[in-house]
Amino acid sequence: MTGLHTQSPPARRPVRQLLAASVGNAVEWYDWYAYTFLATYIADQVFPESADNSLVPLLSTFAVFAVGFFMRPVGGLLMGAIADRRGRRAALTVTILLMGGSSLLVGLTPTYAAAGVLAPVVLVLARLLQGLSVGGEFAASTTFLVESAGPGRRGLFSSFQYVSTTAGQLVASGVTTVLVRTLDEGAMNHWGWRVPFVLGAVLSLVGFWIRQGAEETRSAEQRRAPRPGLFEALRRHPRESLLIGGITAGGTIAYYTWTSYLPTYAELETGLDKSDALLAGTLSLAFFALLQPLGGLLSDRFGRRPLLLFFGVGFALLSVPLLHALRDSFAVLLLVSCAGMILLTGFTSISAAVNAEIFPPRVRAAGIGFPYSLTVALFGGTAPYVGTLFKELGHSGLFPWYVAVLCLLSSLVYLRLPETAHKELER
């Protein structure tokens, strides 16, 4: 592993570092996930309905969701390069401002009835900007978090990547649930679905303010070194880039299936009430957030590989029975959600540490950002679309097998992954 060597002192104010990364990251992902939770309302307002198939607007909405994901590799590369050249804090500042602007643009998107084809065009533009921001956010904040950690604490600090991500998703889910339960269908379709996006723009300003007080984690030696080229990480470290793709493929499909698509999947498969599905998702996300630090601490003590195998093998064996167990029942959906969250923690709590431990500091942010975001775009961003498409084609039972196979393939990568938990990180 090229990213492991000697360690310079960690950040002087680790709690403040965690707050700076976590608050901004939470706001980023609140904006990103609000779109997923409100997909059915956006479909009704922004896309024309087909006379032959009522799933067409929803498919179009999830297709735009996937389009946003395909800007994430670009964001990972560009913002990662900024983080490696100008510093982690500079990149984090740019990403939070981009997300705030794009969230406001979603909230102001006109309806198809009012603006015709301009409505989906505006929505696509907003999602492209969000994808650029989120791809860069992961690259910069992953590097920032792990470099801020003290000896033997990289796993714990890494876990806050998904604590904050889940907090943002939890707030998005909670806000959506409150709106759905308090507003009638007409109000939600008319203006209610816009509220979370306008709120997200305001929260982005809060995240921007907090990040101004963060301490730069790029070492003085790295600042004096020649700036890396845009594609240097890919050119000089192709094996490490492929390794991140293999590590991430199973994790991202499981993550987006369980944390984003599962409520919609339950609605489509069982006819479960929309508000019950959202509430189950919100409760399971809260449970998931609480598990992350525990997973990080376990990895600091016992290593990264055991947790990754717990996740990968667990999902390879249990994805199909868990998804097939769904019924028109709030309790069953909640149990299936929480069971998946336990397994998923083996990946999410340590993915930031595992990724950062692969690359040297000179190209760490860009080296992580591009292959990670590209893999997420290919397998995570397309998960809602693939699941809905399987349903439309009459083969919805194939989707759980799709998840299981990808997790099995990633497990083979985990088996050969060198253990890095107890080695020092070069900064």
Side-chain angles (χ1 to χ4, degrees):
M1 292 287 179
T2 54
L4 298 161
H5 185 53
T6 59
Q7 181 162 316
S8 60
R12 294 187 300 272
R13 296 174 293 180
V15 174
R16 185 166 185 171
Q17 296 292 94
L18 282 176
L19 181 62
S22 299
V23 171
N25 197 43
V27 173
E28 291 267 0
W29 288 96
Y30 162 85
D31 292 337
W32 182 259
Y33 280 113
Y35 183 94
T36 308
F37 294 127
L38 293 161
T40 53
Y41 297 102
I42 296 172
D44 290 340
Q45 296 300 306
V46 179
F47 293 97
E49 183 171 341
S50 168
D52 301 323
N53 195 332
S54 62
L55 279 178
V56 167
L58 185 59
L59 276 171
S60 300
T61 309
F62 281 141
V64 175
F65 183 74
V67 163
F69 270 86
F70 279 95
M71 281 300 288
R72 289 178 60 167
V74 180
L77 185 64
L78 294 179
M79 300 302 165
I82 291 174
D84 289 332
R85 294 177 179 186
R86 300 286 186 180
R88 320 311 189 198
R89 192 175 67 172
L92 291 173
T93 298
V94 174
T95 59
I96 196 71
L97 291 177
L98 270 177
M99 181 58 75
S102 57
S103 181
L104 183 61
L105 191 57
V106 174
L108 299 178
T109 298
T111 64
Y112 187 84
V117 73
L118 179 64
V121 168
V122 171
L123 185 64
V124 168
L125 175 62
R127 290 300 291 180
L128 290 175
L129 291 175
Q130 283 187 327
L132 189 71
S133 173
V134 170
E137 173 69 20
F138 185 88
S141 64
T142 290
T143 307
F144 180 83
L145 272 173
V146 177
E147 290 178 348
S148 296
R153 286 290 179 265
R154 291 198 304 269
L156 176 61
F157 271 55
S158 169
S159 71
F160 280 86
Q161 180 79 37
Y162 278 91
V163 169
S164 55
T165 296
T166 306
Q169 188 174 1
L170 190 61
V171 173
S173 178
V175 168
T176 304
T177 301
V178 169
L179 287 170
V180 169
R181 287 180 173 268
T182 56
L183 298 178
D184 59 37
E185 194 73 11
M188 275 300 300
N189 280 316
H190 183 56
W191 59 268
W193 67 271
R194 301 179 185 275
V195 172
F197 299 106
V198 176
L199 177 61
V202 175
L203 292 175
S204 295
L205 296 177
V206 177
F208 170 77
W209 175 72
I210 291 175
R211 283 185 166 175
Q212 295 310 292
E215 178 184 343
E216 178 56 54
T217 62
R218 193 173 55 140
S219 68
E221 181 182 355
Q222 292 299 324
R223 293 176 211 176
R224 291 191 296 267
R227 294 177 182 176
L230 185 61
F231 297 100
E232 185 171 325
L234 289 172
R235 190 177 65 253
R236 294 194 177 184
H237 304 280
R239 179 184 176 276
E240 287 83 356
S241 299
L242 289 172
L243 190 59
I244 284 186
I247 291 168
T248 305
T252 190
I253 184 67
Y255 177 76
Y256 283 100
T257 297
W258 247 258
T259 65
S260 299
Y261 182 56
L262 196 60
T264 302
Y265 183 81
E267 289 177 49
L268 294 174
E269 288 296 304
T270 70
L272 186 67
D273 181 74
K274 183 183 300 182
S275 61
D276 284 342
L278 285 171
L279 179 58
T282 301
L283 293 175
S284 62
L285 281 171
F287 175 65
F288 179 64
L290 294 175
L291 291 175
Q292 300 310 297
L294 176 60
L297 286 169
L298 287 173
S299 80
D300 282 333
R301 181 164 185 180
F302 300 108
R304 317 292 189 222
R305 191 165 52 187
L307 267 75
L308 289 172
L309 287 171
F310 168 75
F311 152 73
V313 175
F315 260 102
L317 294 175
L318 297 176
S319 293
V320 174
L322 283 174
L323 291 177
H324 283 173
L326 290 174
R327 299 289 183 272
D328 184 7
S329 165
F330 169 82
V332 171
L333 175 58
L334 183 60
L335 287 173
V336 169
S337 297
C338 289
M341 298 304 189
I342 293 171
L343 294 172
L344 193 54
T345 296
F347 171 79
T348 54
S349 64
I350 60 172
S351 66
V354 172
N355 289 334
E357 289 163 352
I358 288 175
F359 278 94
R362 175 179 166 81
V363 293
R364 182 170 287 144
I368 293 169
F370 183 75
Y372 176 87
S373 297
L374 180 61
T375 307
V376 171
L378 290 172
F379 301 108
T382 57
Y385 185 82
V386 170
T388 307
L389 184 61
F390 275 139
K391 173 67 175 178
E392 185 189 15
L393 296 175
H395 299 292
S396 57
L398 292 178
F399 182 69
W401 288 101
Y402 173 64
V403 176
V405 168
L406 284 177
C407 290
L408 177 61
L409 293 175
S410 282
S411 297
L412 299 178
V413 177
Y414 305 151
L415 279 171
R416 299 182 59 84
L417 195 66
E419 183 55 69
T420 56
H422 305 122
K423 297 181 182 180
E424 293 182 339
L425 183 76
E426 184 183 358
R427 286 185 61 199

